[in-house]
Amino acid sequence: EAQVTQNPRYLITVTGKKLTVTCSQNMNHEYMSWYRQDPGLGLRQIYYSMNVEVTDKGDVPEGYKVSRKEKRNFPLILESPSPNQTSLYFCASSPSKQGRLEVNTEAFFGQGTRLTVV
Amino acid sequence: LAKTTQPISMDSYEGQEVNITCSHNNIATNDYITWYQQFPSQGPRFIIQGYKTKVTNEVASLFIPADRKSSTLSLPRVSLSDTAVYYCLVGDNTSGTYKYIFGTGTRLKVLA
């Protein structure tokens, strides 16, 4: 079954304790991205990756890191989480061609990770 | 920067047709228009996509006028399970690479 898998689904952590949220897709998609969703603000892009070893900042990258060592995985790293990073996070993947995202294709989203930083 | 504008919320009754309009004045020539549906605590789910005129699938129809500066998602005969947030997206090509940009979406509430 084609899917995007995020782990964990729920996480409560303390300020400053490094954490990683994993994202894996089984569709051989080149493009992957991370979003956070907050009430009244909709979905905002954090980072995206057009292909292996190619990552770029989205609209709200501060406080986050990503890596793309393999095509299927795109972990989101919070080196020193703060309470303002409490949010619902989504990973997404989509095909791209020649390094450019094909916007005429469907993006697949994971089920989300609800993060609480206290 | 490509940006979409949608109504914040809409109410409808079961069995009615619902039309949600999205404004995207800065749409680029190569951009497609895509609509997603999101239920609470779930990831967005693809509904329909189009470039111009009209597209229809088993779930919805998408109407795009000739100037492509707006689009309308049409949901025929909605049911309670269609209560969700609906997002309109266009590709952002202003930086040389495409990326999806979500607006705040339209919260549709279907009433019995």
Side-chain angles (χ1 to χ4, degrees):
Chain A
E1 179 190 355
Q3 61 184 3
V4 177
T5 304
Q6 295 178 228
N7 278 297
R9 293 289 311 280
Y10 302 92
L11 178 61
I12 300 175
T13 189
V14 297
T15 298
K17 184 177 181 182
K18 180 179 178 180
L19 67 91
T20 299
V21 183
T22 64
C23 174
S24 180
Q25 50 95 2
N26 62 0
M27 297 165 280
N28 202 37
H29 286 163
E30 290 84 1
Y31 181 91
M32 298 185 74
S33 64
W34 277 101
Y35 293 85
R36 61 177 288 174
Q37 186 170 36
D38 304 289
L41 296 176
L43 282 146
R44 295 180 293 168
Q45 192 176 55
I46 303 170
Y47 269 94
Y48 64 97
S49 169
M50 298 295 285
N51 213 325
V52 175
E53 301 293 359
V54 180
T55 63
D56 208 347
K57 295 178 180 179
D59 298 314
V60 288
E62 294 77 20
Y64 304 94
K65 287 174 57 177
V66 293
S67 69
R68 188 87 183 276
K69 294 184 172 58
E70 311 164 273
K71 182 181 274 192
R72 64 181 291 125
N73 295 322
F74 191 46
L76 179 69
I77 303 158
L78 284 71
E79 294 272 5
S80 181
S82 63
N84 65 12
Q85 292 178 298
T86 292
S87 187
L88 179 59
Y89 291 87
F90 290 102
C91 178
S93 76
S94 183
S96 71
K97 186 185 292 184
Q98 297 176 343
R100 292 170 66 85
L101 174 67
E102 292 293 313
V103 292
N104 57 333
T105 59
E106 176 182 352
F108 294 81
F109 285 80
Q111 292 184 289
T113 296
R114 188 168 292 281
L115 172 66
T116 302
V117 183
V118 299
Chain B
L1 190 70
K3 182 181 175 183
T4 59
T5 303
Q6 306 172 230
I8 294 174
S9 64
M10 296 178 69
D11 288 348
S12 181
Y13 289 93
E14 280 191 294
Q16 289 188 331
E17 178 185 79
V18 170
N19 295 309
I20 306 175
T21 297
C22 177
S23 172
H24 29 79
N25 291 318
N26 296 327
I27 189 169
T29 302
N30 294 332
D31 287 342
Y32 279 67
I33 300 153
T34 312
W35 285 81
Y36 284 81
Q37 175 192 55
Q38 187 181 25
F39 297 113
S41 298
Q42 294 187 25
R45 187 172 67 105
F46 175 90
I47 302 175
I48 196 167
Q49 185 176 71
Y51 184 80
K52 62 181 179 180
T53 63
K54 177 184 174 181
V55 179
T56 298
N57 62 21
E58 64 277 7
V59 176
S61 294
L62 179 59
F63 298 92
I64 305 168
D67 66 6
R68 303 200 329 122
K69 294 184 183 298
S70 67
S71 59
T72 299
L73 174 72
S74 181
L75 304 172
R77 302 177 59 80
V78 294
S79 64
L80 295 175
S81 62
D82 292 319
T83 294
V85 178
Y86 292 82
Y87 293 95
C88 164
L89 277 73
V90 297
D92 174 15
N93 189 30
T94 57
S95 61
T97 58
Y98 287 98
K99 60 178 182 178
Y100 289 112
I101 295 180
F102 284 81
T104 53
T106 297
R107 189 173 298 275
L108 173 65
K109 186 175 182 180
V110 180
L111 307 169

